[in-house]
Amino acid sequence: MDLHLVTYFVAVIDHGGITKAAQALYISQPSLSQAIRTLERRLGTTLFDRTGRRLTLTEAGRTLEVAARRILADVDRAKARVAAVRDLEAGAVEITTFSAFSLHPVVDLVRRFRARYPRIMVRVSDADGPSGVHTALRRGEAELGITDLSAEHGGMVAIPLVEQHLVLAMHPDLAEGLPDPVPRALVRDVPLVVDLGSRADAARTGELLGTHNVVVDCAHPTATWEFVRRGIGATVVPAPLARQQMPSAAVRAIEPPLIRPVGLVLRAGEPSPAAAAFIASATEQLREG
């Protein structure tokens, strides 16, 4: 059943006849009469009793009226929901990332976005490194990925956001005697707490790994920070994260600098309104430094 025929049918009821309904709908009276006959023909029944001067509903017409008004109400609600998403008053943006970025830069990006669009929910899912981000995007499990841009991102649109300067964070006792910055070769003699299971992290920190200097292989950031706080080993983290999460730790730069480019990746094509707004917010934050 065509939606416009349902609309015409209800208009005739509400306006008490063809003439006034046609005026309200801005169509000709013959066109509206023909539309009602078309609806009756498709349904195989008579909807209006035309014997008197005023159209009245038949039993079939009264039955259809209930369903027709419900259909139009459902359409109106659907339009309102679509408009709310379009106007960023409702909906969600789906993001996938992995542990290396779960705090920096994800937290700042989400905080800024939510301050501007408080009615949009942000869903952040966990992926297994850059390849896991790609998998989630291809499967439609997320629309945006936050990942290491030094990895291969063929077939995806990549948007640079920030360069993370990685540093060594450690207990002050462990830092005694270490220069600042610490040459990479010297880091190989420092006990480290790192995530060897992350291929992305392992590829980036590979130069820092000596024969026996990884004392704890840990995939959980919170546990890693506690190991550092207790002096078990140093860890390699972005400089802002070291200051925020390990304020009591001694921080040493690495020479030559260890830099990790971070950005958004997404499939080609037009993003949803919520995703487009997140991209705009993130890139604006980048411009502002």
Side-chain angles (χ1 to χ4, degrees):
M1 188 189 306
D2 292 343
L3 186 60
H4 76 279
L5 294 180
V6 176
T7 302
Y8 291 171
F9 170 68
V10 172
V12 172
I13 299 171
D14 290 344
H15 292 280
I18 296 290
T19 301
K20 290 184 178 179
Q23 292 171 351
L25 294 168
Y26 297 101
I27 62 175
S28 68
Q29 183 175 331
S31 294
L32 181 54
S33 296
Q34 182 58 44
I36 297 299
R37 291 192 190 95
T38 298
L39 179 59
E40 290 177 322
R41 185 171 62 254
R42 291 183 180 179
L43 295 175
T45 189
T46 301
L47 300 174
F48 292 98
D49 183 351
R50 297 174 175 81
T51 57
R53 297 183 62 182
R54 179 182 176 89
L55 292 181
T56 58
L57 287 170
T58 62
E59 184 63 30
R62 286 191 291 272
T63 300
L64 178 62
E65 180 187 7
V66 175
R69 292 191 185 278
R70 184 169 58 246
I71 289 170
L72 295 179
D74 287 344
V75 169
D76 286 341
R77 282 191 291 269
K79 287 180 179 178
R81 286 194 292 269
V82 170
V85 171
R86 185 187 62 239
D87 298 335
L88 298 173
E89 294 179 356
V93 57
E94 310 274 354
I95 297 170
T96 186
T97 189
F98 47 99
S99 60
F101 310 115
S102 58
L103 288 176
H104 183 273
V106 170
V107 171
D108 283 343
L109 293 174
V110 172
R111 176 192 57 78
R112 181 186 181 96
F113 177 77
R114 287 278 304 139
R116 183 170 296 182
Y117 303 105
R119 296 180 181 275
I120 302 295
M121 181 171 66
V122 181
R123 294 193 182 101
V124 183
S125 61
D126 183 46
D128 182 18
S131 61
V133 168
H134 279 213
T135 299
L137 295 175
R138 285 195 300 269
R139 290 178 178 174
E141 296 168 355
E143 191 172 3
L144 298 175
I146 297 176
T147 188
D148 186 342
L149 290 190
S150 63
E152 178 61 37
H153 296 292
M156 297 283 176
V157 176
I159 303 172
L161 291 181
V162 65
E163 286 189 339
Q164 290 182 334
H165 288 255
L166 302 180
V167 297
L168 278 178
M170 66 199 86
H171 191 280
D173 291 345
L174 194 60
E176 286 186 10
L178 281 179
D180 190 9
V182 183
R184 294 190 186 186
L186 191 56
V187 176
R188 297 180 195 140
D189 296 323
V190 176
L192 294 179
V193 181
V194 295
D195 179 11
L196 294 178
S198 170
R199 285 174 291 180
D201 282 356
R204 186 157 303 281
T205 60
E207 252 188 271
L208 310 179
L209 306 183
T211 307
H212 302 293
N213 70 325
V214 177
V215 295
V216 180
D217 175 11
C218 182
H220 302 285
T222 303
T224 296
W225 302 330
E226 187 62 19
F227 290 139
V228 170
R229 189 181 72 82
R230 292 173 180 260
I232 294 174
T235 193
V236 182
V237 292
L241 204 57
R243 293 191 295 269
Q244 294 168 11
Q245 301 297 327
M246 294 175 278
S248 64
V251 176
R252 295 287 188 272
I254 298 170
E255 183 64 37
L258 197 58
I259 298 173
R260 179 167 58 193
V262 184
L264 293 168
V265 291
L266 65 155
R267 290 171 296 181
E270 185 175 355
S272 70
F278 191 92
I279 293 168
S281 175
T283 53
E284 182 178 312
Q285 181 171 333
L286 172 65
R287 290 194 299 270
E288 293 176 357

